[in-house]
């Protein structure tokens, strides 16, 4: 009886994992494998036909890595890849700095800190569609931002913020930072509240200043929170789509084109195999970057211990 109970306790976690693993496999791994196979074919809209109610794949041919070679030779894809990397790096750095600053400020003894935390977190729960439409109206030529600048500088300002190649991407980056800094703040707040006050009291007794305490105690003990935030921000940056699609649709020209928007555009044009290849490249890129970041951050955490 005791042996059976011990055996059941060993297998119990795996039984709990099975439903989630099944759903993950059916809705993620299987489509990913199908996409990988299809990315190596001539799978385009003109090659698809129906026989009665069934899809006819007689014209489907295996073409190896031809689609992958073509996308890396496509200057628009390289532009989208460059924009995506730049977007992910810029937004991650800014969200970490702003989120940490907000967390430090709202971890202090303020009477209004609960209300302020809620206010800063609210953008994270808003729909990208709502946020995109809101900021599109603010940033247009006759929008609120230009009207405010006209009052401040005493002359009419009619800059097209989203229609100018030099400012469009910066506007989208700013919207992303505004939306997710509150979420980053909450992760840092959880980390700050998990640090024992005894460390700070001992440091003050030893004569440590505020910057020394922050550098020697707060930052090292916040490494787990940094790991979560950096990983989530980088993955979110590489997966960017909604706000670009709503605000600029990749324009003006290709100034704000990112990987997901060019994948969507390629798929909409019926080049299904090429869009599948782009999706696989994005998946591999995100996997390598996120795993690399997690390993590096966890190595630092182990060294700290």
């Amino acid at each position: 009886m005791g042996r059976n109970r011990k055996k059941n306790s060993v297998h119990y976690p795996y039984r709990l994992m099975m439903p989630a693993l099944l759903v993950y496999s059916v809705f993620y791994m299987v489509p990913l494998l199908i996409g990988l196979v299809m990315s190596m074919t001539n799978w385009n809209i003109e090659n698809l036909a129906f026989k009665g109610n069934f899809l006819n794949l007689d014209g489907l041919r295996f073409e190896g890595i031809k689609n992958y070679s073509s996308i890396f030779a496509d200057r628009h894809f390289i532009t989208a890849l460059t924009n995506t990397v730049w977007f992910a790096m810029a937004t991650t750095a800014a969200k970490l700095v702003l989120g940490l600053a907000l967390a430090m400020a709202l971890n202090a003894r303020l009477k209004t800190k609960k209300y302020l935390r809620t206010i800063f977190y609210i953008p994270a729960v808003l729909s990208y569609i709502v946020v995109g439409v809101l900021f599109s109206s603010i940033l247009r030529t006759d929008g609120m931002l230009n009207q405010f600048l006209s009052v401040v500088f005493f002359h009419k300002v009619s800059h097209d913020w989203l229609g100018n190649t030099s400012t469009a991407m910066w506007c989208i980056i700013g919207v992303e930072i505004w939306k997710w800094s509150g979420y980053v703040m909450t992760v840092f707040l959880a980390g700050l509240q998990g640090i024992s006050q005894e460390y700070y009291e001992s440091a003050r007794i030893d004569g440590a200043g505020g910057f020394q305490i922050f550098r020697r105690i707060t930052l090292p003990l916040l490494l787990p929170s940094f790991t979560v935030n950096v990983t989530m921000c980088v993955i979110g940056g590489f997966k960017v789509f909604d706000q670009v699609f709503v605000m600029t649709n990749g324009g003006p020209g290709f100034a704000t084109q990112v990987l997901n928007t060019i994948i969507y555009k390629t798929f909409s044009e019926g080049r299904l195999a090429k869009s599948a290849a782009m999706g696989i490249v994005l998946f591999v890129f995100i996997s390598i970057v996120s795993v690399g970041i997690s390993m590096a951050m966890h190595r630092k955490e182990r060294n700290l211990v």
Side-chain angles (χ1 to χ4, degrees):
M1 182 67 117
R3 186 178 298 175
N4 290 334
R5 183 176 299 173
K6 184 177 180 180
K7 185 178 180 180
N8 288 333
S9 64
V10 170
H11 292 100
Y12 186 68
Y14 299 100
R15 293 173 182 171
L16 289 177
M17 288 172 56
M18 287 305 295
L21 185 61
L22 180 63
V23 171
Y24 179 80
S25 300
V26 171
F27 292 101
Y28 187 79
M29 293 307 299
V30 172
L32 179 64
L33 292 174
I34 294 173
L36 178 61
V37 173
M38 290 301 185
S39 69
M40 298 182 182
T41 66
N42 64 332
W43 186 39
N44 295 318
I45 198 69
E46 61 268 16
N47 298 328
L48 298 179
F50 285 90
K51 287 183 177 179
N53 295 325
F54 298 96
L55 188 63
N56 179 21
L57 300 178
D58 293 341
L60 207 62
R61 295 192 314 272
F62 182 77
E63 296 191 345
I65 61 171
K66 180 179 178 181
N67 290 313
Y68 292 92
S69 301
S70 67
I71 63 175
F72 281 107
D74 186 351
R75 62 185 180 88
H76 295 319
F77 178 81
I78 300 301
T79 299
L81 178 60
T82 304
N83 287 341
T84 305
V85 173
W86 165 240
F87 179 90
M89 291 174 58
T91 55
T92 298
K95 284 186 284 188
L96 288 175
V97 172
L98 185 56
L100 181 58
L102 289 172
M104 295 290 292
L106 298 181
N107 195 44
R109 295 179 180 178
L110 297 174
K111 292 182 179 180
T112 59
K113 64 181 180 181
K114 293 183 179 179
Y115 303 104
L116 291 174
R117 290 174 185 175
T118 303
I119 290 171
F120 285 118
Y121 184 76
I122 283 175
V125 301
L126 295 177
S127 166
Y128 265 124
I129 305 299
V130 174
V131 172
V133 171
L134 173 65
F135 277 93
S136 294
S137 63
I138 292 173
L139 296 170
R140 65 186 186 184
T141 307
D142 58 345
M144 188 183 299
L145 179 59
N146 282 333
Q147 293 181 16
F148 172 76
L149 293 176
S150 299
V151 173
V152 172
F153 294 107
F154 302 105
H155 64 83
K156 185 174 178 60
V157 177
S158 57
H159 184 77
D160 188 2
W161 298 93
L162 294 177
N164 190 300
T165 55
S166 62
T167 57
M169 181 57 82
W170 285 107
C171 291
I172 296 175
I173 289 173
V175 172
E176 175 75 3
I177 294 168
W178 173 84
K179 180 169 171 51
W180 290 110
S181 292
Y183 174 83
V184 174
M185 173 198 71
T186 59
V187 177
F188 279 135
L189 272 172
L192 287 171
Q193 292 172 2
I195 300 175
S196 173
Q197 293 298 314
E198 294 178 0
Y199 296 115
Y200 296 113
E201 292 170 3
S202 299
R204 292 189 188 99
I205 291 172
D206 292 337
F211 179 75
Q212 289 177 313
I213 292 174
F214 176 75
R215 182 183 175 187
R216 300 294 184 182
I217 297 176
T218 304
L219 280 182
L221 294 178
L222 277 180
L223 274 179
S225 299
F226 270 102
T227 302
V228 173
N229 275 330
V230 171
T231 305
M232 296 299 293
C233 289
V234 169
I235 292 175
F238 281 115
K239 291 171 62 178
V240 59
F241 172 75
D242 307 67
Q243 61 271 48
V244 176
F245 182 75
V246 174
M247 295 177 69
T248 62
N249 197 21
F254 284 85
T256 60
Q257 195 78 262
V258 291
L259 287 178
N260 271 325
T261 56
I262 200 169
I263 290 171
Y264 174 80
K265 181 181 179 182
T266 305
F267 184 84
S268 301
E269 292 171 352
R271 295 177 289 168
L272 309 180
K274 189 174 181 179
S275 66
M278 290 179 178
I280 296 297
V281 170
L282 177 59
F283 167 77
V284 172
F285 202 73
I286 290 175
S287 299
I288 292 173
V289 172
S290 59
V291 170
I293 290 173
S294 295
M295 290 176 64
M297 298 296 288
H298 283 305
R299 192 179 300 117
K300 288 187 177 181
E301 291 179 32
R302 286 195 297 269
N303 293 337
L304 180 64
V305 176

